[in-house]
Amino acid sequence: MLSIKNLHVELEDEDKKILKGVDLEVEAGKVHAIMGPNGSGKSTLSYVLSGKDGYEVTDGSATLEGNDLLDLEPEERAAAGLFLAFQYPVEIPGVGNMTFLRTAVNAQRKARGEEEMSAADFLKEIRAKAKDLKIDADMLKRPVNMGFSGGEKKRNEILQMAMLEPKMCILDETDSGLDVDAMKLVAEGVNALRNEGRGFLVITHYQRLLDHIKPDVVHIMSDGRIIKTGGPELALEVEHNGYADILAEVA
Amino acid sequence: MAEAKLQETATEAMISTLSMPQGGWAQPAREDALARVRAMGLPQRRDEYWKFTRPDTLTQAEPVPAAIFEHGDAPMFDGIDRLRIVFADGEFDADASDDLSLEGVKIERLATAMSDLHWARDLYGTLEKNGQNPVPRPLAALNTAFATDGVLIHVTGRPSKPINLIYKHKSETSDAMLHHIVKLDAGAEMTLLENGPAAARFNTVMEVDVADTARFHHVRAQGRDHERRAATHLFTRLGTESLLKSFTVTVNGAMTRNECVIELTGDDASAHVAGASVGDGDFHHDDTVFITHDAVNCESRQVYKKVLRNGATGVFQGKILVKEGAQKTDGYQISQSLLLDGDSQFLAKPELEIYADDVACSHGSTSGAIDEEALFYLRARGVSHAEATDLLTLAFLAEAVEEIESENLREEIIGRLSSWLERRSG
Ligand SMILES: Nc1ncnc2c1ncn2[C@@H]1O[C@H](COP(=O)(O)OP(=O)(O)OP(=O)(O)O)[C@@H](O)[C@H]1O
Ligand SMILES: [Mg+2]
């Protein structure tokens, strides 16, 4: 599904290398987790995959179902099935959450040559999905993420994911800022979307989330590289011992 | 000295091309206004009040010709049940207008309202004259002296539908001057709509007297002819617990200067003036606002938003003057521009002058590009660059549009702004 090979990324504005040869393969139907110390390049990887400005790919490749992602505009990547749940969802004053989501759903459909969703169908669907995530009608009407609490913003990301039904979901610290109950809601939202056609890349610092969203594979990223890959037990090891042992092991 | 001479010559040159309508109740006010124009002289480039906007094309004797622009879209406010009064190049068009009768309001034309003791006699040129202090507005006085027509609207009740002044542009060299008077009796309420390019050059004055507890809504769409030039003045006096809401959308136009002069003279009155303007290339748009608080517990809001691209220029000069004793004044002023490229410019001069101690006034002015973070967020959800830009642009304008009370009218305006964006994007 998602195939990243030897990806090297620097900042465009300064001479700073952030990703130094990332190799990663997420198969359809699987959940991969990435853990790693602060500043190791996890968010950068998610931004580069979704097409944010400011980064320069100096080597390597990233493809989604064989399509070269790095060649596409951000909106084309989204239409191709890539979704990023942001670590810091953006507030957009003046744009209603509903309007935004409907525009997004229909833009993707249009880009894929599908028919637009009718207003009635859209309303029905969003109401049902919002209810599952305990997002009330008022939050749907408010401008995108404006005045949302940290946890509400994260739930709103999952709502968008549920509406857009992407093939490849990247979740960047969607668990941070969530209380225990919200964490469960979010995990349920993600698990509901799990199927054999869809891949997940879950960036997190905590085992907690992985209790609810059981990963198939866990990667450790450090200083711009995947330094270790293993099963779910790797996350438990990090939880108990931190990164010191792993870092020492590969050094 | 030489400067003054030049100004006098320019003023006389303009006056010589105009002829004052003779006779009737307005004549003394017109003569008086002409004397004011001569004393003030027409605006000059060096005037502080015209620092950001070159007055030349508004003050030269002959207008710059303006091509007529056929847009082929449905007329503005078409979906709204309204009473239409049409002027083409400043001339009343009876055939295109509706019957001027509507319950709760009496409508006459300046050019034909002849009775000697006309109610408008006390207002014509009065608010304009008042508004000449402390800043001269010679183009308004010129209008009082020479306006060829206009409407006189006396609102006694609550008419069931808005009155729509429609200004058509027919001749490439037309130079039109209209002067309107609106008088709202205590408790009355009405909505006045204005739209259309009007002429190659258009000078309007509207004097509005809002009595106690009356409410006046004004929504104006300044038309799309790219080359037209306009100088407008809205003078409003507000009584106790009365309300003014005036909103202007401007799409295109080589030169627009909209002056708004408002005086809150009764306690607990409220004045909201707002504007959304969008301009491309050879576009110059100036909002100049002067609000005087002269009573207790009044509120005023100025909300101006401009979207500029391809070298367009936006200007905002806004002042809140709080007179001595005007306690509990709540004054808000915001002017913002969204620059869609590096060539455009926004020039702002926000001012506060306060002589009372118990007031809350705030003002802010910003100028910036589209928010890149928001743009990326939208694109990452699949919204195209162009559509995301439009969405953010409309969101930027929303605070001004929300000043319109009627939802129908708001929708109408949003529709116009959206289609401007659609025409421009891609
Ligand atoms: N636009 C930028 N300008 C300057 N430095 C940047 C920029 N983007 C990323 N970096 C730097 O690159 C490194 C990797 O950052 P990144 O956000 O990818 O880390 P992370 O693994 O997501 O960290 P965290 O766990 O704290 O979220 C950091 O040192 C960060 O400061
Ligand atoms: Mg991060």
Side-chain angles (χ1 to χ4, degrees), chain A residues 11 14 16-19 36-45 47 52-55 87-88 172-173 203 205 221:
Chain A
L11 289 179
E14 26 181 318
K16 181 167 176 181
K17 295 182 170 50
I18 301 179
L19 300 184
N38 292 132
S40 54
K42 304 180 298 295
S43 293
T44 302
L45 176 63
Y47 285 145
K52 192 173 188 191
D53 279 345
Y55 304 98
Q87 180 171 2
Y88 304 108
D172 191 359
E173 292 196 30
I203 299 170
H205 286 294
M221 183 179 253

PDB file of all heavy atoms in Angstrom, chain A residues 11 14 16-19 36-45 47 52-55 87-88 172-173 203 205 221, ligand 1:
ATOM      1  N   LEU A  11      15.240  20.573   5.184  1.00  0.00           N
ATOM      2  CA  LEU A  11      14.415  21.779   5.172  1.00  0.00           C
ATOM      3  C   LEU A  11      14.791  22.593   3.944  1.00  0.00           C
ATOM      4  O   LEU A  11      15.959  22.625   3.563  1.00  0.00           O
ATOM      5  CB  LEU A  11      14.672  22.612   6.424  1.00  0.00           C
ATOM      6  CG  LEU A  11      14.132  22.039   7.722  1.00  0.00           C
ATOM      7  CD1 LEU A  11      14.484  22.965   8.872  1.00  0.00           C
ATOM      8  CD2 LEU A  11      12.616  21.857   7.637  1.00  0.00           C
ATOM      9  N   GLU A  14      16.629  26.129   5.467  1.00  0.00           N
ATOM     10  CA  GLU A  14      17.932  26.047   6.113  1.00  0.00           C
ATOM     11  C   GLU A  14      18.596  24.716   5.749  1.00  0.00           C
ATOM     12  O   GLU A  14      17.945  23.787   5.315  1.00  0.00           O
ATOM     13  CB  GLU A  14      17.826  26.216   7.634  1.00  0.00           C
ATOM     14  CG  GLU A  14      16.488  25.828   8.198  1.00  0.00           C
ATOM     15  CD  GLU A  14      16.398  26.015   9.707  1.00  0.00           C
ATOM     16  OE1 GLU A  14      17.362  25.683  10.410  1.00  0.00           O
ATOM     17  OE2 GLU A  14      15.338  26.464  10.171  1.00  0.00           O
ATOM     18  N   LYS A  16      19.328  21.872   6.831  1.00  0.00           N
ATOM     19  CA  LYS A  16      19.142  20.939   7.931  1.00  0.00           C
ATOM     20  C   LYS A  16      18.522  19.643   7.410  1.00  0.00           C
ATOM     21  O   LYS A  16      17.450  19.650   6.806  1.00  0.00           O
ATOM     22  CB  LYS A  16      18.221  21.583   8.987  1.00  0.00           C
ATOM     23  CG  LYS A  16      17.989  20.678  10.178  1.00  0.00           C
ATOM     24  CD  LYS A  16      17.357  21.414  11.336  1.00  0.00           C
ATOM     25  CE  LYS A  16      17.063  20.422  12.443  1.00  0.00           C
ATOM     26  NZ  LYS A  16      16.435  20.997  13.595  1.00  0.00           N
ATOM     27  N   LYS A  17      19.226  18.537   7.638  1.00  0.00           N
ATOM     28  CA  LYS A  17      18.704  17.243   7.206  1.00  0.00           C
ATOM     29  C   LYS A  17      17.828  16.683   8.313  1.00  0.00           C
ATOM     30  O   LYS A  17      18.239  16.641   9.475  1.00  0.00           O
ATOM     31  CB  LYS A  17      19.867  16.280   6.945  1.00  0.00           C
ATOM     32  CG  LYS A  17      20.765  16.714   5.787  1.00  0.00           C
ATOM     33  CD  LYS A  17      21.861  15.686   5.562  1.00  0.00           C
ATOM     34  CE  LYS A  17      22.639  15.925   4.276  1.00  0.00           C
ATOM     35  NZ  LYS A  17      23.123  17.309   4.090  1.00  0.00           N
ATOM     36  N   ILE A  18      16.626  16.253   7.961  1.00  0.00           N
ATOM     37  CA  ILE A  18      15.741  15.713   8.996  1.00  0.00           C
ATOM     38  C   ILE A  18      15.519  14.216   8.816  1.00  0.00           C
ATOM     39  O   ILE A  18      15.685  13.449   9.745  1.00  0.00           O
ATOM     40  CB  ILE A  18      14.411  16.471   9.028  1.00  0.00           C
ATOM     41  CG1 ILE A  18      14.695  17.958   9.298  1.00  0.00           C
ATOM     42  CG2 ILE A  18      13.515  15.921  10.127  1.00  0.00           C
ATOM     43  CD1 ILE A  18      13.502  18.834   9.330  1.00  0.00           C
ATOM     44  N   LEU A  19      15.145  13.805   7.605  1.00  0.00           N
ATOM     45  CA  LEU A  19      15.014  12.368   7.362  1.00  0.00           C
ATOM     46  C   LEU A  19      16.259  11.893   6.611  1.00  0.00           C
ATOM     47  O   LEU A  19      16.671  12.492   5.618  1.00  0.00           O
ATOM     48  CB  LEU A  19      13.741  12.060   6.561  1.00  0.00           C
ATOM     49  CG  LEU A  19      12.430  12.488   7.227  1.00  0.00           C
ATOM     50  CD1 LEU A  19      11.238  12.047   6.384  1.00  0.00           C
ATOM     51  CD2 LEU A  19      12.307  11.947   8.651  1.00  0.00           C
ATOM     52  N   GLY A  36       9.223   6.935  18.814  1.00  0.00           N
ATOM     53  CA  GLY A  36      10.559   7.510  18.705  1.00  0.00           C
ATOM     54  C   GLY A  36      10.663   8.791  19.491  1.00  0.00           C
ATOM     55  O   GLY A  36       9.652   9.457  19.708  1.00  0.00           O
ATOM     56  N   PRO A  37      11.861   9.145  19.908  1.00  0.00           N
ATOM     57  CA  PRO A  37      12.066  10.340  20.728  1.00  0.00           C
ATOM     58  C   PRO A  37      11.567  11.607  20.037  1.00  0.00           C
ATOM     59  O   PRO A  37      11.452  11.633  18.810  1.00  0.00           O
ATOM     60  CB  PRO A  37      13.592  10.406  20.896  1.00  0.00           C
ATOM     61  CG  PRO A  37      14.112   9.072  20.510  1.00  0.00           C
ATOM     62  CD  PRO A  37      13.114   8.445  19.599  1.00  0.00           C
ATOM     63  N   ASN A  38      11.318  12.626  20.825  1.00  0.00           N
ATOM     64  CA  ASN A  38      10.921  13.929  20.280  1.00  0.00           C
ATOM     65  C   ASN A  38      11.969  14.398  19.280  1.00  0.00           C
ATOM     66  O   ASN A  38      13.165  14.235  19.499  1.00  0.00           O
ATOM     67  CB  ASN A  38      10.834  14.987  21.389  1.00  0.00           C
ATOM     68  CG  ASN A  38       9.691  14.720  22.349  1.00  0.00           C
ATOM     69  OD1 ASN A  38       9.869  14.747  23.566  1.00  0.00           O
ATOM     70  ND2 ASN A  38       8.522  14.450  21.813  1.00  0.00           N
ATOM     71  N   GLY A  39      11.492  14.972  18.207  1.00  0.00           N
ATOM     72  CA  GLY A  39      12.415  15.548  17.233  1.00  0.00           C
ATOM     73  C   GLY A  39      13.082  14.534  16.326  1.00  0.00           C
ATOM     74  O   GLY A  39      13.992  14.877  15.575  1.00  0.00           O
ATOM     75  N   SER A  40      12.623  13.281  16.357  1.00  0.00           N
ATOM     76  CA  SER A  40      13.306  12.279  15.539  1.00  0.00           C
ATOM     77  C   SER A  40      12.859  12.322  14.075  1.00  0.00           C
ATOM     78  O   SER A  40      13.506  11.727  13.219  1.00  0.00           O
ATOM     79  CB  SER A  40      13.098  10.881  16.130  1.00  0.00           C
ATOM     80  OG  SER A  40      11.729  10.628  16.299  1.00  0.00           O
ATOM     81  N   GLY A  41      11.747  13.028  13.785  1.00  0.00           N
ATOM     82  CA  GLY A  41      11.345  13.191  12.386  1.00  0.00           C
ATOM     83  C   GLY A  41      10.024  12.536  12.023  1.00  0.00           C
ATOM     84  O   GLY A  41       9.663  12.453  10.849  1.00  0.00           O
ATOM     85  N   LYS A  42       9.254  12.134  13.032  1.00  0.00           N
ATOM     86  CA  LYS A  42       7.994  11.426  12.765  1.00  0.00           C
ATOM     87  C   LYS A  42       6.979  12.336  12.065  1.00  0.00           C
ATOM     88  O   LYS A  42       6.405  11.968  11.035  1.00  0.00           O
ATOM     89  CB  LYS A  42       7.410  10.895  14.088  1.00  0.00           C
ATOM     90  CG  LYS A  42       8.380   9.999  14.859  1.00  0.00           C
ATOM     91  CD  LYS A  42       7.800   9.493  16.162  1.00  0.00           C
ATOM     92  CE  LYS A  42       7.451  10.582  17.176  1.00  0.00           C
ATOM     93  NZ  LYS A  42       8.608  11.339  17.701  1.00  0.00           N
ATOM     94  N   SER A  43       6.786  13.531  12.633  1.00  0.00           N
ATOM     95  CA  SER A  43       5.827  14.450  11.994  1.00  0.00           C
ATOM     96  C   SER A  43       6.322  14.887  10.634  1.00  0.00           C
ATOM     97  O   SER A  43       5.545  15.026   9.682  1.00  0.00           O
ATOM     98  CB  SER A  43       5.588  15.684  12.876  1.00  0.00           C
ATOM     99  OG  SER A  43       4.917  15.310  14.055  1.00  0.00           O
ATOM    100  N   THR A  44       7.601  15.109  10.537  1.00  0.00           N
ATOM    101  CA  THR A  44       8.163  15.505   9.243  1.00  0.00           C
ATOM    102  C   THR A  44       7.827  14.459   8.182  1.00  0.00           C
ATOM    103  O   THR A  44       7.414  14.800   7.074  1.00  0.00           O
ATOM    104  CB  THR A  44       9.692  15.686   9.363  1.00  0.00           C
ATOM    105  OG1 THR A  44       9.940  16.668  10.363  1.00  0.00           O
ATOM    106  CG2 THR A  44      10.306  16.110   8.047  1.00  0.00           C
ATOM    107  N   LEU A  45       7.982  13.192   8.540  1.00  0.00           N
ATOM    108  CA  LEU A  45       7.644  12.126   7.601  1.00  0.00           C
ATOM    109  C   LEU A  45       6.178  12.247   7.171  1.00  0.00           C
ATOM    110  O   LEU A  45       5.854  12.177   5.976  1.00  0.00           O
ATOM    111  CB  LEU A  45       7.894  10.754   8.244  1.00  0.00           C
ATOM    112  CG  LEU A  45       7.493   9.537   7.404  1.00  0.00           C
ATOM    113  CD1 LEU A  45       8.311   9.463   6.113  1.00  0.00           C
ATOM    114  CD2 LEU A  45       7.638   8.239   8.202  1.00  0.00           C
ATOM    115  N   TYR A  47       4.274  14.916   7.163  1.00  0.00           N
ATOM    116  CA  TYR A  47       4.074  16.113   6.335  1.00  0.00           C
ATOM    117  C   TYR A  47       4.608  15.921   4.929  1.00  0.00           C
ATOM    118  O   TYR A  47       3.986  16.347   3.953  1.00  0.00           O
ATOM    119  CB  TYR A  47       4.780  17.317   6.964  1.00  0.00           C
ATOM    120  CG  TYR A  47       4.078  17.889   8.172  1.00  0.00           C
ATOM    121  CD1 TYR A  47       4.800  18.426   9.240  1.00  0.00           C
ATOM    122  CD2 TYR A  47       2.679  17.934   8.238  1.00  0.00           C
ATOM    123  CE1 TYR A  47       4.156  18.967  10.343  1.00  0.00           C
ATOM    124  CE2 TYR A  47       2.040  18.472   9.340  1.00  0.00           C
ATOM    125  CZ  TYR A  47       2.773  18.990  10.395  1.00  0.00           C
ATOM    126  OH  TYR A  47       2.142  19.525  11.473  1.00  0.00           O
ATOM    127  N   LYS A  52       3.310  18.838   2.345  1.00  0.00           N
ATOM    128  CA  LYS A  52       3.461  20.181   2.893  1.00  0.00           C
ATOM    129  C   LYS A  52       4.689  20.873   2.315  1.00  0.00           C
ATOM    130  O   LYS A  52       5.710  20.237   2.062  1.00  0.00           O
ATOM    131  CB  LYS A  52       3.590  20.077   4.415  1.00  0.00           C
ATOM    132  CG  LYS A  52       3.453  21.404   5.096  1.00  0.00           C
ATOM    133  CD  LYS A  52       3.418  21.284   6.599  1.00  0.00           C
ATOM    134  CE  LYS A  52       3.082  22.655   7.143  1.00  0.00           C
ATOM    135  NZ  LYS A  52       3.255  22.786   8.548  1.00  0.00           N
ATOM    136  N   ASP A  53       4.561  22.195   2.116  1.00  0.00           N
ATOM    137  CA  ASP A  53       5.685  22.990   1.612  1.00  0.00           C
ATOM    138  C   ASP A  53       6.794  23.100   2.641  1.00  0.00           C
ATOM    139  O   ASP A  53       6.565  22.951   3.829  1.00  0.00           O
ATOM    140  CB  ASP A  53       5.211  24.424   1.313  1.00  0.00           C
ATOM    141  CG  ASP A  53       4.528  24.514  -0.032  1.00  0.00           C
ATOM    142  OD1 ASP A  53       4.678  23.565  -0.821  1.00  0.00           O
ATOM    143  OD2 ASP A  53       3.850  25.531  -0.280  1.00  0.00           O
ATOM    144  N   GLY A  54       7.962  23.407   2.171  1.00  0.00           N
ATOM    145  CA  GLY A  54       9.058  23.714   3.083  1.00  0.00           C
ATOM    146  C   GLY A  54      10.069  22.589   3.229  1.00  0.00           C
ATOM    147  O   GLY A  54      11.094  22.765   3.868  1.00  0.00           O
ATOM    148  N   TYR A  55       9.751  21.453   2.651  1.00  0.00           N
ATOM    149  CA  TYR A  55      10.678  20.320   2.737  1.00  0.00           C
ATOM    150  C   TYR A  55      11.182  19.954   1.353  1.00  0.00           C
ATOM    151  O   TYR A  55      10.453  20.048   0.371  1.00  0.00           O
ATOM    152  CB  TYR A  55       9.982  19.096   3.352  1.00  0.00           C
ATOM    153  CG  TYR A  55       9.385  19.362   4.710  1.00  0.00           C
ATOM    154  CD1 TYR A  55       8.028  19.644   4.841  1.00  0.00           C
ATOM    155  CD2 TYR A  55      10.184  19.367   5.853  1.00  0.00           C
ATOM    156  CE1 TYR A  55       7.473  19.914   6.084  1.00  0.00           C
ATOM    157  CE2 TYR A  55       9.636  19.637   7.093  1.00  0.00           C
ATOM    158  CZ  TYR A  55       8.280  19.910   7.207  1.00  0.00           C
ATOM    159  OH  TYR A  55       7.744  20.178   8.433  1.00  0.00           O
ATOM    160  N   GLN A  87      -1.040  16.282  13.959  1.00  0.00           N
ATOM    161  CA  GLN A  87      -0.667  16.392  15.368  1.00  0.00           C
ATOM    162  C   GLN A  87      -1.262  17.674  15.948  1.00  0.00           C
ATOM    163  O   GLN A  87      -1.742  17.695  17.072  1.00  0.00           O
ATOM    164  CB  GLN A  87       0.867  16.405  15.516  1.00  0.00           C
ATOM    165  CG  GLN A  87       1.316  16.510  16.961  1.00  0.00           C
ATOM    166  CD  GLN A  87       2.832  16.314  17.139  1.00  0.00           C
ATOM    167  OE1 GLN A  87       3.574  16.125  16.174  1.00  0.00           O
ATOM    168  NE2 GLN A  87       3.286  16.360  18.378  1.00  0.00           N
ATOM    169  N   TYR A  88      -1.230  18.739  15.148  1.00  0.00           N
ATOM    170  CA  TYR A  88      -1.824  20.015  15.573  1.00  0.00           C
ATOM    171  C   TYR A  88      -2.858  20.460  14.545  1.00  0.00           C
ATOM    172  O   TYR A  88      -2.531  21.207  13.627  1.00  0.00           O
ATOM    173  CB  TYR A  88      -0.736  21.082  15.717  1.00  0.00           C
ATOM    174  CG  TYR A  88       0.367  20.675  16.668  1.00  0.00           C
ATOM    175  CD1 TYR A  88       1.636  20.344  16.190  1.00  0.00           C
ATOM    176  CD2 TYR A  88       0.123  20.601  18.033  1.00  0.00           C
ATOM    177  CE1 TYR A  88       2.648  19.951  17.066  1.00  0.00           C
ATOM    178  CE2 TYR A  88       1.127  20.208  18.916  1.00  0.00           C
ATOM    179  CZ  TYR A  88       2.383  19.884  18.423  1.00  0.00           C
ATOM    180  OH  TYR A  88       3.373  19.491  19.286  1.00  0.00           O
ATOM    181  N   ASP A 172      -0.989  11.188  13.441  1.00  0.00           N
ATOM    182  CA  ASP A 172       0.162  11.742  14.141  1.00  0.00           C
ATOM    183  C   ASP A 172      -0.233  12.142  15.558  1.00  0.00           C
ATOM    184  O   ASP A 172      -0.884  13.163  15.763  1.00  0.00           O
ATOM    185  CB  ASP A 172       0.722  12.939  13.369  1.00  0.00           C
ATOM    186  CG  ASP A 172       2.078  13.399  13.918  1.00  0.00           C
ATOM    187  OD1 ASP A 172       2.559  12.802  14.908  1.00  0.00           O
ATOM    188  OD2 ASP A 172       2.651  14.342  13.348  1.00  0.00           O
ATOM    189  N   GLU A 173       0.144  11.355  16.509  1.00  0.00           N
ATOM    190  CA  GLU A 173      -0.143  11.606  17.925  1.00  0.00           C
ATOM    191  C   GLU A 173      -1.603  11.974  18.170  1.00  0.00           C
ATOM    192  O   GLU A 173      -1.904  12.927  18.870  1.00  0.00           O
ATOM    193  CB  GLU A 173       0.771  12.711  18.470  1.00  0.00           C
ATOM    194  CG  GLU A 173       2.209  12.252  18.533  1.00  0.00           C
ATOM    195  CD  GLU A 173       3.067  13.155  19.428  1.00  0.00           C
ATOM    196  OE1 GLU A 173       2.520  13.728  20.388  1.00  0.00           O
ATOM    197  OE2 GLU A 173       4.263  13.257  19.160  1.00  0.00           O
ATOM    198  N   ILE A 203       1.415   7.189  14.598  1.00  0.00           N
ATOM    199  CA  ILE A 203       2.564   7.757  15.307  1.00  0.00           C
ATOM    200  C   ILE A 203       2.127   8.025  16.746  1.00  0.00           C
ATOM    201  O   ILE A 203       1.106   8.680  16.969  1.00  0.00           O
ATOM    202  CB  ILE A 203       3.011   9.079  14.656  1.00  0.00           C
ATOM    203  CG1 ILE A 203       3.432   8.822  13.196  1.00  0.00           C
ATOM    204  CG2 ILE A 203       4.141   9.730  15.451  1.00  0.00           C
ATOM    205  CD1 ILE A 203       3.661  10.086  12.385  1.00  0.00           C
ATOM    206  N   HIS A 205       3.521   8.189  21.188  1.00  0.00           N
ATOM    207  CA  HIS A 205       4.558   8.038  22.218  1.00  0.00           C
ATOM    208  C   HIS A 205       4.173   6.978  23.246  1.00  0.00           C
ATOM    209  O   HIS A 205       4.978   6.602  24.076  1.00  0.00           O
ATOM    210  CB  HIS A 205       4.772   9.375  22.939  1.00  0.00           C
ATOM    211  CG  HIS A 205       5.513  10.372  22.112  1.00  0.00           C
ATOM    212  ND1 HIS A 205       6.818  10.211  21.739  1.00  0.00           N
ATOM    213  CD2 HIS A 205       5.126  11.555  21.564  1.00  0.00           C
ATOM    214  CE1 HIS A 205       7.209  11.250  21.016  1.00  0.00           C
ATOM    215  NE2 HIS A 205       6.192  12.075  20.892  1.00  0.00           N
ATOM    216  N   MET A 221      11.749   5.163  15.408  1.00  0.00           N
ATOM    217  CA  MET A 221      12.471   6.138  14.598  1.00  0.00           C
ATOM    218  C   MET A 221      13.382   6.946  15.502  1.00  0.00           C
ATOM    219  O   MET A 221      12.996   7.338  16.603  1.00  0.00           O
ATOM    220  CB  MET A 221      11.493   7.067  13.880  1.00  0.00           C
ATOM    221  CG  MET A 221      12.194   8.066  12.965  1.00  0.00           C
ATOM    222  SD  MET A 221      11.025   9.133  12.112  1.00  0.00           S
ATOM    223  CE  MET A 221      11.101   8.497  10.496  1.00  0.00           C
TER     224      MET A 221
HETATM  225  N1  LIG C   1       9.908  23.824   9.510  1.00  0.00           N
HETATM  226  C1  LIG C   1      10.892  23.494  10.361  1.00  0.00           C
HETATM  227  N2  LIG C   1      11.809  24.425  10.709  1.00  0.00           N
HETATM  228  C2  LIG C   1      12.819  24.127  11.562  1.00  0.00           C
HETATM  229  N3  LIG C   1      12.994  22.920  12.089  1.00  0.00           N
HETATM  230  C3  LIG C   1      12.118  21.948  11.769  1.00  0.00           C
HETATM  231  C4  LIG C   1      11.020  22.194  10.899  1.00  0.00           C
HETATM  232  N4  LIG C   1      10.313  21.061  10.754  1.00  0.00           N
HETATM  233  C5  LIG C   1      10.951  20.149  11.521  1.00  0.00           C
HETATM  234  N5  LIG C   1      12.025  20.676  12.126  1.00  0.00           N
HETATM  235  C6  LIG C   1      12.971  19.978  13.002  1.00  0.00           C
HETATM  236  O1  LIG C   1      13.099  18.671  12.541  1.00  0.00           O
HETATM  237  C7  LIG C   1      13.187  17.771  13.607  1.00  0.00           C
HETATM  238  C8  LIG C   1      12.098  16.723  13.502  1.00  0.00           C
HETATM  239  O2  LIG C   1      10.860  17.293  13.825  1.00  0.00           O
HETATM  240  P1  LIG C   1       9.501  16.482  13.860  1.00  0.00           P
HETATM  241  O3  LIG C   1       8.405  17.418  14.171  1.00  0.00           O
HETATM  242  O4  LIG C   1       9.390  15.705  12.632  1.00  0.00           O
HETATM  243  O5  LIG C   1       9.760  15.518  15.086  1.00  0.00           O
HETATM  244  P2  LIG C   1       8.801  14.452  15.782  1.00  0.00           P
HETATM  245  O6  LIG C   1       9.475  13.175  15.722  1.00  0.00           O
HETATM  246  O7  LIG C   1       7.442  14.541  15.205  1.00  0.00           O
HETATM  247  O8  LIG C   1       8.793  15.009  17.261  1.00  0.00           O
HETATM  248  P3  LIG C   1       7.624  14.968  18.392  1.00  0.00           P
HETATM  249  O9  LIG C   1       7.649  13.595  18.952  1.00  0.00           O
HETATM  250  O10 LIG C   1       8.087  15.966  19.380  1.00  0.00           O
HETATM  251  O11 LIG C   1       6.343  15.331  17.723  1.00  0.00           O
HETATM  252  C9  LIG C   1      13.123  18.593  14.865  1.00  0.00           C
HETATM  253  O12 LIG C   1      14.418  18.842  15.299  1.00  0.00           O
HETATM  254  C10 LIG C   1      12.461  19.850  14.416  1.00  0.00           C
HETATM  255  O13 LIG C   1      12.836  20.951  15.205  1.00  0.00           O
END
